[in-house]
Amino acid sequence: MSSELKNLSSYNKDEVPSGERCSFGIVVSDWNDEITNALLEGAVQTLIEHGTDEKDIHIQHVPGAFELPFGASELSNKKKFDAIICLGCIIQGETRHFEFIADAVANGIMQVSLKEELPVIFGVLTTNTLEQAKERSGGKYGNKGVEAAITALKMSDI
């Protein structure tokens, strides 16, 4: 794992723009909810820490990671967000299902972002094991939700 030597969620707070006048949508998968709830908590807390008012954070739940692009598209239709964060967790199984879902989700999120000309942030864990997912959702390697929120703050400032 490339994150083997560090917490990937470490960042310089002085380099992150304020979210004070921003509004964010968050689409979160309910599949693997132990992990995705931790990602959501990290994202929301980070946005608030950087000045975003809690009332300016809209959370939309979807059943699984495959539904994240549609959820992001629906939120983008509201035309009120500075960025949309997609949070999910896809864990490798014994079949190729993982590859198809991970690829479709990544491409779907990118397509929504380009079509809507809106930052749509990929905060989806794609891990080999549940343990790896735990380590990336608040464990020793950080929280991908925090990273996604930082990316959203930076992209909303472009």
Side-chain angles (χ1 to χ4, degrees):
M1 176 180 270
S2 65
S3 59
E4 197 169 312
L5 301 177
K6 64 180 180 174
N7 178 328
L8 297 175
S9 300
S10 297
Y11 64 95
N12 182 343
K13 291 184 181 192
D14 296 332
E15 295 177 356
V16 180
S18 172
E20 190 174 352
R21 293 181 185 86
C22 296
S23 179
F24 296 97
I26 301 177
V27 185
V28 60
S29 166
D30 289 335
W31 193 260
N32 291 317
D33 64 344
E34 173 187 0
I35 304 301
T36 60
N37 287 337
L39 298 176
L40 178 61
E41 183 178 323
V44 169
Q45 282 306 108
T46 301
L47 293 173
I48 291 170
E49 286 172 15
H50 288 278
T52 305
D53 192 310
E54 197 168 353
K55 70 174 177 46
D56 293 322
I57 302 170
H58 176 83
I59 300 167
Q60 177 66 55
H61 289 265
V62 295
F66 191 78
E67 291 77 27
L68 289 169
F70 181 79
S73 180
E74 287 298 300
L75 286 184
S76 72
N77 289 335
K78 297 180 188 289
K79 307 287 185 207
K80 69 177 190 177
F81 300 111
D82 295 288
I84 295 171
I85 300 168
C86 295
L87 301 173
C89 177
I90 307 168
I91 300 172
Q92 175 72 52
E94 295 180 11
T95 68
R96 293 188 58 213
H97 181 257
F98 170 89
E99 296 168 39
F100 296 123
I101 297 300
D103 187 52
V105 171
N107 284 316
I109 289 171
M110 180 187 62
Q111 288 174 17
V112 173
S113 184
L114 295 174
K115 178 179 177 255
E116 300 299 329
E117 297 181 349
L118 176 72
V120 181
I121 311 306
F122 185 82
V124 181
L125 292 175
T126 55
T127 64
N128 290 320
T129 66
L130 177 60
E131 185 59 36
Q132 287 177 343
K134 288 178 180 179
E135 295 295 354
R136 289 291 287 121
S137 61
K140 66 182 176 183
Y141 297 127
N143 185 318
K144 182 89 170 164
V146 170
E147 297 159 36
I150 296 302
T151 302
L153 287 159
K154 288 181 176 182
M155 291 302 292
S156 68
D157 194 48
I158 290 181

